[in-house]
Amino acid sequence: MAATGPRSQAEPAERDTTPLPFACATRYILSMADGHPDWKTPNLPLIPGEPLWVFGYGSLMWNPGFPHLERQPAVLHGYHRRFCVLSHRYRGTPERPGLVLGLDRGGSCRGMAFKVAPEHVQAVVAYLWEREMVTGVYRPSLKQIRLPSGPVTACCFLADRGHRQYRGALGPEETLAMIRTGVGSSGPNRDYLLNTVEHLRELGIRDGALFALAKRVAEAGDNTLIPNTAGP
């Protein structure tokens, strides 16, 4: 399966890929990654000649974008899927940010794991860094996950609690309000949530917190959406 280009797990499969003006994009990325000097360089302690498992919790589950030998349902313990990362472009603006998914501490997360052949590991890791580490808001780590066939070690992109885009302290009402009002270059934040939940259902993955949030957003309708007239 050929890679289709970088997309973060925090975004759905279809999104605006129009680049920001270079100067604007550079300022934004550097400002978001301030204090995280190693975010651009893959630094996983991988064993040469060994395959690599990759854990997906968002769009990676249904749109991995890289070649893999197999895909299995997987559970990561100690972290859960949560709207805890600010989006200033794709699902919001700097003036009115949206929220996208991250893996935050506590609980567990059901997702999909992909086994990458040894000869493709280097290229896949480079692809994942381009896709996930745009501003360094995630902390790539090797964690044990459980497959139907048993435990394996996998690459997981965890939310970096020290990053300025991290918003893990938001309460349910604040989270709901930001998702209902966020609009970015890829469209309303609410659509990202509802699309994610639809894909989770198709994969047979239940996430009670996300399903409950999606129900509240769907019941609220579109009356709180504010057109995106701000710049990127």
Side-chain angles (χ1 to χ4, degrees), residues 198-213:
E198 180 180 352
H199 279 290
L200 289 176
R201 287 198 174 103
E202 291 173 355
L203 292 168
I205 296 175
R206 176 155 184 83
D207 189 311
L210 249 64
F211 286 13
L213 180 61

Side-chain angles (χ1 to χ4, degrees), residues 75-81 103-110 161:
V75 179
L76 170 66
H77 291 284
Y79 297 87
H80 64 286
R81 187 186 292 107
L103 284 173
D104 205 5
R105 292 180 197 165
S108 62
C109 179
R110 292 182 61 202
R161 288 189 159 202

